[in-house]
Amino acid sequence: EIWEGLMLLQLLWGANEAVAKRLDFSLRTQPEWPEPDLGQSLSQTLSQLTGFKGAGTATNLLGRFALAPQVRAPVPAFEFHLSSLAEELVPPELEFRLFVENACAGPITPAEVLELPLYAARTDYGFEYVLPSKMRSFMANRNLVPVSYTRKVLQVENHHAQVYLQHQVARRVAADLEVLPGHEIHIDPALLFFILKVRRENILEDTTAALQRATPEDLRRQLKVVFEGEQGVDEGGLAREFFRLLSARVFTADCGLFDPVVAQGARVLWFDSASACESTDFWLAGVILGLVVYNNMPGLDVRFPPVIFKKIKDEPLGLEDLRQVHPDTYLSLRSLLSWEPEKALSDEEANSIFENTFCLDFVVTFEVNGKTQSKELCEGGKDKAVTYKNREDFVRLYCEWLLTKSVERQFEPFRKGVRRVCDSPLFNALHSA
């Protein structure tokens, strides 16, 4: 069956990741092994995968080794994607129903597949083992689904949500008017759609006022844009024009929300930790982005790095995420991790040479309004030298500062704005992989 095949693909994906982790572990602990020994290491890994005696052993195997960011799995992850889904051999509407019926609890991980219970069910051929219902959805196996197909299923969910809200309004109106079945009723369009009336010359101010008045239910109705003083019914074109004009005011490096240095160096939009804008400005930017996603408006030119989505979903961040925003800092931190002492040196000697070479402490310096400021990365950081032994802690804390703590005041209202619109079971089940 399809779902048993999907489970097998998940197991192969997990085995592929485990081999990569074992390979990285071998290279870091025995970097000068000749090829025969390396092959033996891979063979040992495969034998461990195929010869485990219980779910606990397999789970330990998947989580035992730390995969270095620069090491790729033996088989690229995209090779496991179900390309037939991108060709819509399974209609997105059908997959959305499968997800709602079986997998609203969330995505399945390869490690979890190893521990899925099998149930005995009576069939025409006797008792057979069947998979639990949460496995019976492609979107539940998110790591195997192409991004293009995910986008289409999310569009189906958004459309269903909008239609459902319209039906709810129609039923309430019919009940209030005591309309008999089969009779026509006239409903105020403002109850069925989120009608946004704006003036072109004051598009940002009018939008801000309307979004602040709107409830979450208002924002999840189908959007209709009206430009005051202009003729036309919004069939999608006016909304696209609205978002294009608005993004030129909000999602630019010179609007005050985003860091112009990052925009110039990494060519992405990242929050300006020294921004003088109010929290409501960042909240507004988040709501606008949420409306773009929820109303299925493709083509909006917003240069956010993928790490933004990881932060919205509260996924863990690391050094590789820093590469998208601060590439020069990433290279500097990578050089710290790649530095190795001579083998003949003791730990104390290695720490001393590292400290004298890089001359770092657990302090980060940055500029605010042209003035240099500093912040300790940990308690007593200014008196704590970065050594060969603790360099990984320094890199972790430095990344945490740049990606999270330094922009917390700006990002939190932005995230709340996005989630005010995008808060569905399918959206919550998505992740960045």
Side-chain angles (χ1 to χ4, degrees):
E1 282 204 11
I2 291 177
W3 309 120
E4 280 76 7
L6 207 60
M7 182 183 71
L8 177 59
L9 193 59
Q10 281 282 26
L11 292 173
L12 292 173
W13 192 93
N16 186 62
E17 291 296 299
V19 169
K21 293 176 183 180
R22 176 73 180 189
L23 172 61
D24 174 60
F25 178 78
S26 299
L27 290 175
R28 284 189 288 107
T29 56
Q30 300 285 349
E32 296 181 358
W33 274 9
E35 289 188 8
D37 291 333
L38 183 58
Q40 182 181 8
S41 172
L42 292 173
S43 300
Q44 291 171 351
T45 301
L46 290 172
S47 66
Q48 285 180 279
L49 278 168
T50 57
F52 67 87
K53 299 299 182 181
T57 304
T59 303
N60 291 337
L61 179 61
L62 286 174
R64 179 160 42 189
F65 305 116
L67 180 62
Q70 73 272 22
V71 176
R72 295 183 179 273
V75 179
F78 68 84
E79 294 289 352
F80 290 90
H81 284 178
L82 301 167
S83 57
S84 58
L85 294 179
E87 300 168 4
E88 295 193 39
L89 296 184
V90 178
E93 294 80 5
L94 173 60
E95 167 52 28
F96 173 65
R97 290 199 297 270
L98 290 172
F99 178 84
V100 171
E101 293 172 2
N102 300 317
C104 279
I108 294 174
T109 63
E112 186 181 358
V113 171
L114 295 172
E115 298 180 349
L116 281 175
L118 297 177
Y119 300 96
R122 185 185 296 276
T123 67
D124 295 337
Y125 306 99
F127 282 96
E128 294 184 1
Y129 286 107
V130 296
L131 292 171
S133 60
K134 71 173 298 185
M135 188 75 187
R136 298 174 181 270
S137 164
F138 293 102
M139 291 302 300
N141 300 270
R142 178 64 192 87
N143 56 308
L144 306 179
V145 179
V147 174
S148 60
Y149 188 74
T150 299
R151 187 181 301 113
K152 292 174 183 176
V153 178
L154 186 59
Q155 290 173 354
V156 170
E157 182 192 45
N158 294 340
H159 176 70
H160 274 254
Q162 293 169 350
V163 172
Y164 174 77
L165 287 175
Q166 292 176 348
H167 288 173
Q168 288 286 89
V169 170
R171 281 194 289 268
R172 286 200 301 266
V173 172
D176 292 341
L177 298 178
E178 297 182 354
V179 177
L180 296 176
H183 288 68
E184 291 186 0
I185 59 174
H186 296 282
I187 303 176
D188 184 355
L191 298 176
L192 298 175
F193 303 98
F194 178 40
I195 300 178
L196 200 55
K197 295 182 179 180
V198 296
R199 297 164 293 175
R200 283 184 181 266
E201 65 274 13
N202 294 93
I203 188 171
L204 183 58
E205 294 78 5
D206 292 350
T207 301
T208 301
L211 295 184
Q212 288 178 334
R213 291 193 304 266
T215 66
E217 183 176 335
D218 293 333
L219 296 174
R220 290 171 190 155
R221 296 192 183 109
Q222 184 179 352
L223 177 66
K224 296 289 185 180
V225 175
V226 176
F227 287 104
E228 289 192 10
E230 300 182 19
Q231 299 293 326
V233 178
D234 188 6
E235 298 294 341
L238 291 180
R240 282 190 288 271
E241 172 72 0
F242 164 77
F243 284 122
R244 185 187 67 80
L245 294 173
L246 199 59
S247 65
R249 295 283 303 276
V250 177
F251 299 114
T252 61
D254 56 359
C255 71
L257 300 175
F258 305 105
D259 192 329
V261 176
V262 173
Q264 183 177 5
R267 299 188 179 279
V268 296
L269 293 178
W270 185 252
F271 305 95
D272 186 355
S273 60
S275 173
C277 294
E278 300 290 337
S279 296
T280 53
D281 297 323
F282 291 96
W283 176 86
L284 174 66
V287 173
I288 294 171
L289 183 62
L291 287 173
V292 170
V293 174
Y294 185 70
N295 287 277
N296 305 324
M297 292 291 170
L300 186 66
D301 185 20
V302 178
R303 295 173 293 128
F304 281 127
V307 66
I308 292 288
F309 183 74
K310 294 184 72 173
K311 286 177 66 63
I312 291 174
K313 296 305 301 294
D314 199 25
E315 296 181 17
L317 307 179
L319 180 57
E320 286 301 305
D321 299 306
L322 187 66
R323 185 177 192 173
Q324 305 166 19
V325 182
H326 299 285
D328 292 338
T329 304
Y330 164 83
L331 292 175
S332 298
L333 295 177
R334 174 59 62 194
S335 68
L336 293 182
L337 296 177
S338 62
W339 185 90
E340 292 294 335
E342 297 180 7
K343 289 188 175 181
L345 297 177
S346 65
D347 291 344
E348 183 176 349
E349 291 172 326
N351 286 332
S352 177
I353 293 176
F354 185 94
E355 182 178 348
N356 293 329
T357 300
F358 293 100
C359 301
L360 294 171
D361 50 25
F362 279 73
V363 174
V364 58
T365 58
F366 53 95
E367 285 193 3
V368 177
N369 298 325
K371 297 181 180 180
T372 302
Q373 298 186 10
S374 61
K375 176 75 174 180
E376 290 184 327
L377 296 176
C378 62
E379 186 176 354
K382 63 181 181 181
D383 299 319
K384 183 177 181 179
V386 179
T387 65
Y388 178 72
K389 183 178 181 180
N390 65 22
R391 59 181 176 168
E392 292 186 0
D393 293 335
F394 172 78
V395 170
R396 175 180 56 81
L397 292 172
Y398 204 103
C399 291
E400 183 181 1
W401 162 255
L402 284 177
L403 296 177
T404 303
K405 292 184 177 180
S406 66
V407 295
E408 187 173 9
R409 181 183 70 84
Q410 294 79 18
F411 178 77
E412 275 307 303
F414 175 84
R415 182 187 63 82
K416 290 178 180 178
V418 173
R419 296 312 297 261
R420 190 172 177 84
V421 185
C422 301
D423 191 22
S424 65
L426 180 57
F427 184 86
N428 292 336
L430 300 179
H431 59 76
S432 60

